């Protein structure tokens, strides 16, 4: 009986702590912290935060790593499983207290499973005002290269103040 009371107190305590954090509205996306993920998924490109896509997108990506945007990014089954779990546990719909994750998730239709962040409605809307020549230039190459313009992208921070586009500079809303 005593044990039961303690257990329920512990559960109530952790529920309280959780609901507390979900009231706080955080601005960017949660930073990527998993060392295996950073190593395996940050070698060819920026390690995109899990909160930039919903879990069904990550499932799709991890299922066909052998055919990954024109490259083979296959992993050992054990590593694939660990990374998939990390991505799903931290995907956009789990982090609705992070403003950008919520906006990205809300912009994707229920029947859509985009593999790319750059193909989501929210992303397209936010980036449509950038002149193609600023994107195509060699210092950037494509919109997939978040760090080229978002100087704190690796911290999960995409605030307008931190944007610095090569050969253009700070972004002012036009
Ligand atoms: C062998 C190189 C390679 C590895 C390793 C790799 N990727 Fe990629 N990935 C690419 C390429 C190439 C693209 C296309 C965009 C680009 O040119 O950077 C891409 C694009 C992506 C995109 C879409 C970005 C966008 O445009 O919105 C996601 C998401 C992604 N990768 C996730 C992962 C994950 C998760 C892993 C680890 C399991 C991973 N990648 C490992 C090469 C790689
Ligand atoms: C060529 C430079 C460039 C690249 C590359 C780029 N962005 Fe952006 N991004 C911008 C600019 C400029 C804005 C601001 C648009 C506006 O508010 O008018 C923006 C806005 C955003 C916003 C909204 C910020 C806010 O405060 O409303 C997010 C989130 C974002 N970008 C994420 C990303 C991610 C993730 C990537 C990589 C997959 C990326 N961006 C790649 C230039 C870039």
């Amino acid at each position: 009986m005593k044990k039961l009371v303690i257990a329920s107190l512990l559960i109530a305590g952790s529920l309280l702590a959780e609901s507390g954090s979900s009231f706080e509205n955080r601005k960017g996306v949660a930073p990527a912290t998993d060392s295996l993920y950073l190593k395996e998924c940050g070698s060819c490109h920026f390690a995109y935060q899990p909160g930039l896509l919903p879990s069904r997108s990550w499932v799709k990506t991890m299922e066909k790593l052998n055919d990954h945007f024109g490259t083979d990014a296959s992993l050992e089954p054990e590593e694939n499983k660990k990374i998939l779990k990390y991505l799903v546990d931290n995907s956009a719909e789990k982090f609705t207290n992070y403003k950008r994750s919520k906006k990205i998730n809300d912009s994707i239709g229920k029947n859509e499973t985009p593999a790319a962040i750059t193909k989501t409605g929210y992303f397209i809307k936010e980036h449509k005002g950038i002149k193609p020549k600023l994107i195509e230039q060699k210092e950037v190459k494509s919109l997939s290269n978040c760090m080229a313009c978002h100087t704190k992208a690796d911290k999960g921070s995409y605030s307008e103040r931190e944007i610095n586009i090569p050969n253009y500079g700070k972004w002012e809303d036009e």
Side-chain angles (χ1 to χ4, degrees):
M1 185 61 196
K2 209 170 177 186
K3 266 193 189 148
L4 234 164
V5 171
I6 293 173
S8 28
L9 277 177
L10 280 175
I11 291 169
S14 62
L15 281 178
L16 265 177
E18 237 173 65
S19 65
S21 68
S22 68
F23 283 125
E24 193 185 330
N25 204 352
R26 297 173 186 237
K27 274 184 162 166
V29 300
T33 50
D34 184 85
S35 55
L36 182 65
Y37 177 73
L38 293 173
K39 178 168 159 266
E40 299 296 345
C41 304
S43 55
C44 294
H45 49 65
F46 168 64
Y48 305 109
Q49 286 86 15
L52 290 169
L53 283 171
S55 52
R56 62 185 184 282
S57 293
W58 294 122
V59 169
K60 182 164 126 184
T61 293
M62 297 307 288
E63 268 172 5
K64 54 174 198 75
L65 276 183
N66 60 330
D67 180 17
H68 180 77
F69 298 90
T71 61
D72 185 348
S74 303
L75 293 168
E76 294 299 322
E78 200 50 39
E79 295 187 323
N80 188 311
K81 219 167 104 186
K82 280 189 196 152
I83 290 177
L84 176 61
K85 184 177 181 332
Y86 169 66
L87 289 167
V88 167
D89 285 351
N90 295 283
S91 57
E93 70 273 39
K94 312 279 164 56
F95 279 93
T96 48
N97 58 329
Y98 278 88
K99 206 164 141 193
R100 308 292 170 229
S101 290
K102 180 164 169 40
K103 288 193 166 180
I104 289 173
N105 197 45
D106 289 350
S107 79
I108 304 172
K110 292 271 177 296
N111 306 321
E112 285 176 78
T113 306
I117 302 140
T118 49
K119 295 283 188 292
T120 62
Y122 174 68
F123 186 96
I124 293 168
K125 182 173 77 75
E126 285 293 328
H127 295 85
K128 66 171 189 279
I130 308 169
K131 293 209 166 65
K133 75 168 197 314
L134 291 177
I135 299 168
E136 289 153 11
Q137 60 174 328
K138 66 176 190 315
E139 292 86 347
V140 180
K141 291 199 190 83
S142 88
L143 281 178
S144 306
N145 193 6
C146 319
M147 278 296 283
C149 305
H150 294 279
T151 57
K152 299 214 170 117
D154 55 345
K155 309 274 188 303
S157 184
Y158 294 92
S159 129
E160 268 188 61
R161 267 178 292 117
E162 296 156 0
I163 297 173
N164 191 354
I165 305 181
N167 302 311
Y168 178 85
K170 297 264 169 221
W171 185 257
E172 312 283 352
D173 257 326
E174 289 158 49

